[in-house]
Amino acid sequence: AALREGYEHFDPRAYLRNNYLPPRADFSSEEFVVPWKLRCLAETFASGEIRGRTLIDVGSGPTIYQLLSACDHFEEIVATDYLAVNREELSRWVRGEPGAFDWSPFIQHVCKIEGRGEPWQDKERRLRQRLRRILPIDVHRPEPLGAPLRPPADALLSAFCLEAVSPDRAAFVRALAHVGNLLRPGGHALLLGALGESFYLAGPARLPVVPLEESDVREALAAAGFALRELRSYAMPPALRTGVDDVDGVFFAHAQK
Ligand code: SAH
C-alpha cells in the first residue's frame, strides 16, 4: 500500500531527467551506465537466438531504450506499466507528438554498436510500428495483465521494475513468478535492475527499492522457475552517484523459463 501511494507522486519527466540525460546518458564513453545497458541488450540480441512473435516489456515506465535492440527480432512489442502517466508518455513518443522525450541519441548509439550501418530513423520507425499495445499491469497480481496473454509471450524483458515495486526479496520472487506466467515455457527473460539500491527519486516521489545483491538475483530466478544463462554486473562510478538514488550498481540477467 505504501508503494502504491508513493507511485501516485511519480513524475515521468523528472525520472527521465534523473536517469536518461547526462551524466548517466552520456554516449561519449562506454564507461557510463546507459551505454553499458544498451550494450548488454545489443550483444544478447545479436546472437539471433531470442526471437519470435511477441516480446513483452514489464514496467516499461516512460522509456523505450530497452526495446531498441529487441524490436528487430519480434513482430510485436507489448509495453506495460502500472501508471497511466507513463503509458501516456510512451504513447506520445510512439505517435511522434511534440513534447515527447527525445530518444534519438539512444537510437543512434544502438545503431552504432549494432554495427550494421542501419540509418537510425529506420530503427525508430520499426519500433514505433511494432509497439502497438501499451497495457496496464500490476506485477503483484498472479495475473499481472488481469487476463492471460494469448498466445503467451516468446520473450520477456523488464528493466528496473521488479525491485523498485517490491517491499522485500520474497515479494520480488513472487513478482518474478507472476510475470513468468506471461511467458511461454522455454521463452527467454532479460532483466536489468538495480543492485544495492534502497530508494530512488522521481520528482516529488521517493520510491523505496529492495536492495539486491547478485546472489539474490540468482536465487530469485531459480525460485521463480528460470534457468540462468548469463549474469553481468556494473559498478556505478562515483561521478554517476548524483543523489537521485543510492544505487551501487546494475545487473543484467539472461534466463530461460
Ligand atoms: N523500465 C523503465 C522504468 C522503471 S521505473 C526503466 O528502465 O527506466 C519502475 C516502473 O515500475 C515505473 O514505471 C512504475 O510506474 C512501475 N510500477 C510501479 N508499480 C508497479 C506495479 N505494481 N506493477 C508493475 N509496474 C509497476
Side-chain angles (χ1 to χ4, degrees), residues 1-3 140 162-172 174 208-211:
L3 271 154
H140 300 309
L162 303 180
E163 71 281 10
V165 304
S166 300
D168 52 35
R169 280 180 291 177
F172 177 80
R174 284 196 301 275
V209 180
V210 56

Side-chain angles (χ1 to χ4, degrees), residues 18-187:
N18 293 348
N19 295 288
Y20 301 105
L21 287 177
R24 290 187 173 183
D26 181 332
F27 300 100
S28 64
S29 158
E30 291 261 335
E31 279 152 43
F32 296 108
V33 61
V34 164
W36 184 85
K37 297 195 243 180
L38 295 173
R39 180 165 289 280
C40 288
L41 293 164
E43 287 179 356
T44 303
F45 282 104
S47 74
E49 189 192 353
I50 308 179
R51 59 193 157 81
R53 216 184 65 87
T54 314
L55 175 139
I56 186 164
D57 178 34
V58 170
S60 307
T63 75
I64 58 93
Y65 74 90
Q66 68 276 24
L67 306 173
L68 291 169
S69 289
C71 75
D72 299 345
H73 305 274
F74 294 87
E75 288 164 39
E76 190 192 9
I77 306 283
V78 180
T80 65
D81 202 74
Y82 179 72
L83 292 179
V85 284
N86 284 333
R87 299 194 301 270
E88 286 154 12
E89 188 69 44
L90 285 180
S91 309
R92 269 195 289 282
W93 180 81
V94 171
R95 295 194 297 255
E97 288 177 14
F101 189 76
D102 179 15
W103 292 104
S104 61
F106 292 69
I107 309 174
Q108 287 162 28
H109 183 77
V110 170
C111 287
K112 190 172 104 191
I113 61 180
E114 287 180 349
R116 295 195 303 262
E118 181 184 33
W120 68 270
Q121 294 88 344
D122 289 5
K123 190 184 271 293
E124 179 180 73
R125 196 173 315 115
R126 183 174 327 106
L127 178 53
R128 283 186 166 139
Q129 274 165 1
R130 295 184 176 181
L131 191 48
R132 289 189 290 269
R133 286 190 281 175
I134 303 174
L135 306 177
I137 193 164
D138 182 353
V139 300
H140 300 309
R141 293 186 302 201
E143 204 70 85
L145 297 174
L149 190 63
R150 296 223 192 278
D154 298 300
L156 180 140
L157 180 64
S158 188
F160 302 90
C161 174
L162 303 180
E163 71 281 10
V165 304
S166 300
D168 52 35
R169 280 180 291 177
F172 177 80
V173 174
R174 284 196 301 275
L176 195 53
H178 296 160
V179 302
N181 290 335
L182 303 168
L183 183 63
R184 69 165 170 80

Side-chain angles (χ1 to χ4, degrees), residues 5-27:
E5 152 85 38
Y7 276 102
E8 285 172 21
H9 307 286
F10 184 98
D11 174 354
R13 302 304 293 200
Y15 179 76
L16 289 166
R17 191 172 342 105
N18 293 348
N19 295 288
Y20 301 105
L21 287 177
R24 290 187 173 183
D26 181 332
F27 300 100

